[in-house]
Amino acid sequence: MSQDLRAVEGIVFNLQHYCIHDGPGIRTNVFVQGCPLRCIWCANPESQKATPQLMYLADKCTGCGSCMAACPQKAIQRRADHPEKMCTDRTLCTACGACINACRADGRTISGKVMTAGEAFDKVAADKLFYGKDGGLTVTGGEALAHPEFTGALVQLCKAAGISTAVETCGAVAWQVMQPVLQHTDIVLYDIKQMDSALHKQYTGLGNEMILENLEHISNETDCTIIVRCPVIPPCNDSPENFHALGRFLVEKKIRVSEINLLPYHNLGEGKREQLEPGDQGFASRTPTPEEMEGHKNILRSYGFVVK
Ligand code: SF4
Ligand code: SF4
């Protein structure tokens, strides 16, 4: 049984040790590639597609052209506006890696690689000494449930080894896919980005109906501890009305929320957009002020929630 679980494959774009912001205690974060949403502020745009993605680091590129010659798909061209820099036709690129091997300037890399649940588990279990009574594994992304068999196998392996398991999800995943994973999960970090479905669709590509329904399923049908997480992205979702709507929803639906985390916007994703798509400057928000964050917290506290 556990041998079968160990062999299950997923695509992982990062694995970070000693994390302290994604669930209680010290945790090892496994970042799964792929996400059903397309948030305009995404901090990890390289993780949105469920397959490995080529990244181009223009500031390292010397314009030598070796990658063009190495590409079997003829996917690489010089940029018309900056001939000393390159661009890649994503519809042709198979992420074969030949251009990476040809580049002597470290100007190209790939986000995401196939990993078995067993390989990921071994890295998580190696940190067990540091977890204490609160810490453990957090599967995040991208979207933790973009490769549900992998995530399900990894949480089962960790549970069997006595390691606490947390899964961070955007919630835009069918309940039939989510439920089998969450039955082995201790903590759900549940992202809610915008309570108005039309605005949710405008900023993320999908409405929020399934997301809110799944939160009710989790609350009513699992034993998971629920931590609601809200990125605060001016001006997309930082209105008082949005936080009041969230507070009202959680109270009216009697969601078993252990705490709410508000996550102020940061601009780490901006440089990565350029690496994926030269010329894509993406979306720029601003970091909310401490006073603004305190105001948002106080709205949610007025509904009786612990807010961090
Ligand atoms: S091989 Fe590397 S340095 Fe040369 S053009 Fe391609 S990305 Fe730039
Ligand atoms: S990863 Fe392969 S297919 Fe994609 S641009 Fe590089 S050489 Fe071409």
Side-chain angles (χ1 to χ4, degrees):
M1 170 72 170
S2 97
Q3 269 313 316
D4 293 344
L5 292 176
R6 285 185 64 88
V8 178
E9 291 182 343
I11 299 182
V12 170
F13 71 93
N14 200 357
L15 196 150
Q16 279 180 356
H17 304 271
Y18 313 115
C19 300
I20 56 168
H21 295 299
D22 301 298
I26 294 172
R27 313 193 73 86
T28 300
N29 286 359
V30 177
F31 294 81
V32 171
Q33 179 97 13
C35 183
L37 299 185
R38 292 291 178 267
C39 302
I40 61 172
W41 56 79
C42 182
N44 293 312
E46 77 281 18
S47 71
Q48 290 181 335
K49 293 194 178 155
T51 52
Q53 295 296 304
L54 181 76
M55 310 282 285
Y56 170 62
L57 290 76
D59 53 338
K60 294 192 173 176
C61 174
T62 61
C64 72
S66 302
C67 53
M68 277 174 72
C71 177
Q73 303 296 323
K74 305 281 179 251
I76 305 172
Q77 303 289 331
R78 292 194 179 276
R79 276 180 66 168
D81 53 345
H82 292 288
E84 75 285 9
K85 300 295 177 189
M86 319 306 286
C87 60
T88 305
D89 184 340
R90 302 264 158 193
T91 62
L92 297 177
C93 175
T94 59
C96 70
C99 58
I100 298 170
N101 295 333
C103 178
R104 302 196 169 193
D106 293 332
R108 309 179 80 84
T109 182
I110 282 191
S111 167
K113 66 169 189 173
V114 175
M115 188 179 251
T116 66
E119 288 168 337
F121 168 74
D122 290 343
K123 292 181 188 298
V124 174
D127 292 342
K128 191 175 177 187
L129 213 56
F130 301 102
Y131 294 148
K133 68 177 175 46
D134 294 326
L137 161 76
T138 296
V139 189
T140 179
E143 163 55 47
L145 299 168
H147 297 273
E149 292 83 10
F150 168 83
T151 300
L154 179 56
V155 295
Q156 284 186 72
L157 288 167
C158 286
K159 286 290 281 183
I163 296 171
S164 160
T165 55
V167 165
E168 178 171 29
T169 178
C170 71
V173 180
W175 176 241
Q176 293 84 342
V177 172
M178 194 181 283
Q179 190 274 341
V181 178
L182 296 192
Q183 65 177 317
H184 305 287
T185 301
D186 298 312
I187 302 162
V188 180
L189 307 171
Y190 203 83
D191 299 347
I192 296 187
K193 303 166 198 300
Q194 169 57 258
M195 292 301 292
D196 181 299
S197 189
L199 289 176
H200 196 284
K201 184 165 187 182
Q202 178 182 333
Y203 292 128
T204 74
L206 287 179
N208 65 9
E209 289 80 4
M210 180 197 284
I211 294 167
L212 299 181
E213 279 168 24
N214 280 338
L215 185 55
E216 287 187 71
H217 281 303
I218 295 170
S219 185
N220 296 332
E221 299 167 39
T222 77
D223 297 324
C224 299
T225 297
I226 301 170
I227 298 176
V228 169
R229 312 236 295 179
C230 307
V232 180
I233 321 284
C236 305
N237 63 1
D238 64 334
S239 68
E241 295 76 36
N242 190 43
F243 294 105
H244 279 296
L246 174 60
R248 274 197 309 274
F249 172 82
L250 296 174
V251 169
E252 283 170 13
K253 300 296 183 183
K254 298 185 171 62
I255 305 294
R256 299 180 291 100
V257 178
S258 117
E259 65 183 54
I260 300 174
N261 296 166
L262 298 187
L263 313 171
Y265 171 82
H266 62 74
N267 63 2
L268 296 179
E270 286 174 29
K272 292 182 181 176
R273 276 178 203 284
E274 179 80 22
Q275 291 169 15
L276 274 172
E277 198 60 59
D280 181 358
Q281 298 299 316
F283 165 83
S285 180
R286 63 171 176 84
T287 304
T289 66
E291 294 74 27
E292 287 172 324
M293 291 299 287
E294 201 54 33
H296 306 326
K297 284 194 236 174
N298 285 337
I299 290 174
L300 291 165
R301 284 179 183 136
S302 74
Y303 290 86
F305 297 110
V306 174
V307 189
K308 296 180 182 170

